[in-house]
Amino acid sequence: MTKEKKDQRIPIMMSVTEVARIDDWRSKQPGIPSRAEAIRRLVESALDQSKGR
């Protein structure tokens, strides 16, 4: 994960189910990251995985 300044805001709408899935995932992570940090980690992971395609 990069140490770059996080100064770009991206508003998104999510369903109750999507938020619940994120909350479930983040509750299993060390230190329980914020929702924003959890979303950043999940996006980074998906982007890293897509490099192999």
Side-chain angles (χ1 to χ4, degrees):
M1 189 61 66
T2 181
K3 296 288 184 180
E4 285 183 77
K5 182 177 178 183
K6 293 167 180 64
D7 61 355
Q8 301 296 302
R9 185 174 296 269
I10 302 174
I12 61 171
M13 298 295 291
M14 301 183 99
S15 70
V16 170
T17 302
E18 291 167 328
V19 173
R21 290 182 70 195
I22 291 168
D23 285 346
D24 182 56
W25 180 87
R26 73 188 188 100
S27 72
K28 297 172 185 168
Q29 303 308 302
I32 306 181
S34 66
R35 280 185 179 156
E37 180 60 25
I39 292 167
R40 282 192 290 270
R41 290 180 190 182
L42 289 165
V43 168
E44 187 73 26
S45 176
L47 291 171
D48 287 347
Q49 288 180 6
S50 71
K51 288 179 185 178
R53 288 187 180 179

